Amino acid sequence: MQSKLANLLKSYSLLNEEIGVINGCLLGDGTLSSSGKNFRLRIEHSKIHKEYVWWKYLKLKRICINSPQEVKIHNSIRFGTIGHPDINLLRKKWYAGRKKLPKDLKLDSLSLAIWFMDDGCKHRDTVDFSVHNYSLKDLKRLQKLFKEKEIDTTINSDSKGNRLYIKKDSYSVFKELVKPYIVKCMAYKLP
């Protein structure tokens, strides 16, 4: 029964919103894992962010068979999409040996909000993103993508690695873009 449903779901092309959600997750905490000959997206967050997991699930429900489940050993909630041919295409764009930004990546408001909820945090009167795993070349591209949205950024380092800071005079633009998507349990990240 589940394999019939999975085969039906694989025949659906991903919607632009679903691609935006997946890209936001891949910028942040999402991972792609093998599922037969296709790849699927796995989402897992702490139980205190249960509302956020369910919000992501509802955005991707059309390509999921199972709803989010508690993982007691990790004190977390997780779910995964089905293995899907369109996710294979995204994997090819995101991974060439190691994870890197796709050449055609666009930062829409939804993707940006998801990335922020995954990897962003409040920093005085503005916010920053943990970008420890990105190359300097990718960080420069991210800065360019932010600049296209009229958001100025700086790259700084802390004890864990690089962080991408939204400049204070650009914070209001950033907040206006992401606020409509910020889930209540993640609102603490905004100043």
Side-chain angles (χ1 to χ4, degrees):
M1 175 77 169
Q2 279 196 347
S3 63
K4 271 189 176 180
L5 178 57
N7 286 335
L8 174 64
L9 298 179
K10 287 175 193 173
S11 70
Y12 301 157
S13 292
L14 293 182
L15 303 173
N16 286 337
E17 182 180 60
E18 292 163 339
I19 293 169
V21 170
I22 294 169
N23 280 332
C25 290
L26 292 175
L27 280 162
D29 292 335
T31 59
L32 297 180
S33 59
S34 181
S35 177
K37 64 181 181 177
N38 293 305
F39 282 86
R40 65 186 186 139
L41 177 70
R42 302 257 320 182
I43 302 292
E44 185 169 352
H45 293 280
S46 167
K47 276 177 37 176
I48 62 171
H49 297 134
K50 179 179 181 177
E51 175 190 12
Y52 181 43
V53 174
W54 275 91
W55 179 83
K56 283 183 175 180
Y57 168 73
L58 292 173
K59 297 275 186 204
L60 297 172
K61 184 178 178 180
R62 202 175 67 95
I63 55 170
C64 296
I65 292 177
N66 298 311
S67 61
Q69 304 293 314
E70 186 176 333
V71 184
K72 290 185 183 193
I73 194 166
H74 296 153
N75 199 29
S76 64
I77 306 286
R78 76 173 169 206
F79 76 93
T81 67
I82 60 158
H84 195 284
D86 288 352
I87 295 175
N88 289 357
L89 298 176
L90 289 171
R91 185 176 192 286
K92 285 178 186 172
K93 289 180 179 187
W94 278 93
Y95 293 90
R98 63 180 287 248
K99 188 175 181 180
K100 65 178 181 136
L101 292 182
K103 289 182 170 65
D104 63 347
L105 179 68
K106 300 288 184 221
L107 269 186
D108 61 33
S109 297
L110 175 60
S111 299
L112 185 57
I114 291 169
W115 179 29
F116 174 69
M117 288 186 281
D118 278 10
D119 284 345
C121 68
K122 188 186 318 184
H123 183 81
R124 296 187 187 104
D125 297 333
T126 188
V127 297
D128 65 53
F129 291 79
S130 170
V131 289
H132 307 139
N133 295 320
Y134 289 106
S135 69
L136 189 56
K137 181 180 176 183
D138 281 345
L139 292 177
K140 296 290 186 189
R141 273 212 49 241
L142 285 168
Q143 284 190 294
K144 185 178 177 187
L145 291 170
F146 273 106
K147 190 69 174 166
E148 289 172 5
K149 301 224 169 270
E150 300 181 17
I151 298 171
D152 291 320
T153 60
T154 62
I155 301 168
N156 294 39
S157 295
D158 63 18
S159 61
K160 296 178 185 173
N162 288 323
R163 299 194 74 75
L164 186 68
Y165 288 85
I166 304 295
K167 289 187 176 181
K168 286 181 188 178
D169 60 354
S170 293
Y171 174 69
S172 61
V173 175
F174 171 80
K175 186 176 180 180
E176 186 177 319
L177 290 173
V178 302
K179 192 169 182 185
Y181 301 102
I182 301 296
V183 178
K184 189 176 179 181
C185 72
M186 303 304 272
Y188 72 93
K189 292 185 169 210
L190 289 172

